[in-house]
Amino acid sequence: MKGEVCIFANTPIWEPKKIRYRYPGEAWQEIAGESYLIDLLPILGGDYPTTWLVKLGDLIVDFSLRVFSFYDCSGNSSVVHTKYVNTWPAQFVGTVLSIRWMFGEAGGPGGGSVFDCGNGLFGVPPTIWISIIYKDTNNNIREAGISDYAAIIKPPGNIRSWKMISRSFKIHFTDITRPDDPPKYQCQFTVFDVFNQVISNIIRDDCPEVIVVPERCYYKAENERLVAKIFQSFLDPPLRIEYQGNCATVWKDSWPLSYFPLMIYKECTDNPNCPPPRIRLDNKKCKEECRQCPPGTAIKVLLGGNIACVDAFGCIIKEIKFKPGCNSYDCICG
């Protein structure tokens, strides 16, 4: 390309990993998060004091692990699902307030997180122990722990280390004075960031449908923009585009030697996991004039490949072809 050469760049858009969820009868919602847990929280007896009993087998804990063949979560790995039930009853008098994990997301005995690497899974892991928080008849807040379990779906015996992937529990409270009442539950939906910190905690009667949307990088044609112009004589070698990692560089080599090339333009994407900006050279568009909206109108909407020129009343007066570097807009309409 000779004469005036335009350099256009299109930088990819990065979207972080998201947790997309929807409650029954509602629209989808999104939150930028790394992982989530769904726990069923029993509420039977939460509204009145009585004598409550958790019978043998009425507490079921399901969880998934990524297990490793060596210590410190190294070596070959695989995902296993296990299930435990309580082997000892729990009884107390009062009003059930909540259920919590004795080893929780914010740390537990000895500190740490439930998502940290654990070494030596022999017997029942403490991450499945739970506590029942209740108010006794004197309005004192008390706690009843359940830590006796038996595996009904056993993990393999050759585990050297493991990481928690997900867990949930289901518990039946029996009112001794009304043993035929059916159990009722609430659902706790918790979202964590990359540091395993809680960023959202929702408790409702229903559990949401959840989809994990991985992070992504993508290009949009309308985001291409003019970033530089340069004049190329007939003796100049062609401009050279170099892509390296997440960066793109436009070089002008010296003639006849290219020992000291001149950097014309360089741009890197904000996220190193994204591809570099796309570079396009054009010596024709530089000569084209940008079309603008008529006086008294404003550029507001991109309709397909055209810009809508809108007056003060919101009416479209004229449409012009969208050109990167020439026009901008407030929103996109299909």
Side-chain angles (χ1 to χ4, degrees):
M1 295 182 183
K2 306 303 177 183
E4 188 178 41
V5 178
C6 285
I7 302 173
F8 294 89
N10 189 339
T11 305
I13 300 171
W14 174 73
E15 288 186 357
K17 186 177 182 180
K18 297 177 181 178
I19 306 296
R20 181 178 296 165
Y21 63 96
R22 177 176 63 182
Y23 283 94
E26 298 182 7
W28 284 100
Q29 300 184 63
E30 286 184 347
I31 183 171
E34 181 66 21
S35 58
Y36 73 93
L37 290 175
I38 291 181
D39 294 326
L40 293 177
L41 300 182
I43 61 171
L44 178 63
D47 56 349
Y48 65 93
T50 189
T51 301
W52 298 105
L53 174 66
V54 181
K55 301 177 182 178
L56 274 66
D58 276 358
L59 170 58
I60 301 175
V61 179
D62 290 275
F63 64 100
S64 297
L65 301 172
R66 179 166 293 280
V67 299
F68 298 84
S69 56
F70 295 102
Y71 290 106
D72 298 325
C73 296
S74 60
N76 297 329
S77 67
S78 61
V79 175
V80 299
H81 301 276
T82 65
K83 182 177 292 188
Y84 288 81
V85 296
N86 65 309
T87 57
W88 197 257
Q91 183 172 317
F92 55 92
V93 178
T95 304
V96 177
L97 299 178
S98 63
I99 306 295
R100 72 172 181 86
W101 297 99
M102 293 174 67
F103 191 104
E105 290 68 44
S113 166
V114 69
F115 294 106
D116 290 341
C117 179
N119 286 307
L121 180 59
F122 302 107
V124 177
T127 48
I128 69 174
W129 299 350
I130 71 166
S131 288
I132 304 164
I133 313 301
Y134 67 98
K135 186 192 308 183
D136 66 15
T137 54
N138 295 320
N139 286 328
N140 296 314
I141 306 299
R142 297 188 178 277
E143 189 171 342
I146 300 179
S147 58
D148 295 291
Y149 296 86
I152 56 177
I153 300 180
K154 296 182 179 181
N158 60 343
I159 297 175
R160 294 294 176 265
S161 57
W162 54 277
K163 280 187 176 182
M164 179 77 71
I165 298 176
S166 65
R167 63 177 177 173
S168 63
F169 70 85
K170 189 172 183 179
I171 187 171
H172 290 188
F173 286 101
T174 299
D175 181 350
I176 291 183
T177 65
R178 300 162 60 181
D180 295 329
D181 281 1
K184 300 176 184 178
Y185 300 93
Q186 276 190 315
C187 184
Q188 183 178 35
F189 171 54
T190 310
V191 180
F192 307 90
D193 62 15
V194 293
F195 304 106
N196 293 326
Q197 301 297 313
V198 176
I199 56 177
S200 177
N201 188 45
I202 304 173
I203 298 177
R204 294 179 54 171
D205 290 338
D206 299 308
C207 287
E209 179 183 357
V210 183
I211 298 175
V212 177
V213 182
E215 68 172 354
R216 66 171 183 149
C217 300
Y218 63 97
Y219 298 94
K220 294 179 69 174
E222 58 266 23
N223 284 356
E224 186 182 75
R225 67 203 187 282
L226 177 65
V227 295
K229 292 182 180 181
I230 188 170
F231 185 83
Q232 287 282 94
S233 71
F234 286 97
L235 297 178
D236 288 329
L239 295 175
R240 178 165 51 90
I241 304 174
E242 181 182 63
Y243 293 102
Q244 196 169 36
N246 65 315
C247 298
T249 309
V250 180
W251 296 97
K252 181 173 183 177
D253 294 323
S254 58
W255 185 88
L257 302 176
S258 58
Y259 295 130
F260 304 101
L262 176 65
M263 181 189 296
I264 304 301
Y265 179 76
K266 181 176 182 178
E267 184 181 1
C268 301
T269 53
D270 294 334
N271 191 313
N273 294 325
C274 287
R278 288 175 177 170
I279 302 297
R280 185 174 61 86
L281 307 178
D282 198 326
N283 64 344
K284 295 181 179 180
K285 272 199 171 182
C286 289
K287 301 175 183 178
E288 295 181 3
E289 295 183 358
C290 292
R291 296 178 60 192
Q292 303 295 337
C293 283
T297 63
I299 295 174
K300 288 292 181 184
V301 181
L302 179 64
L303 299 171
N306 294 330
I307 287 287
C309 304
V310 183
D311 65 10
F313 301 99
C315 299
I316 299 177
I317 304 300
K318 184 178 181 180
E319 290 188 15
I320 60 176
K321 185 175 178 57
F322 169 75
K323 294 181 180 179
C326 288
N327 314 116
S328 61
Y329 49 86
D330 292 340
C331 64
I332 301 174
C333 294

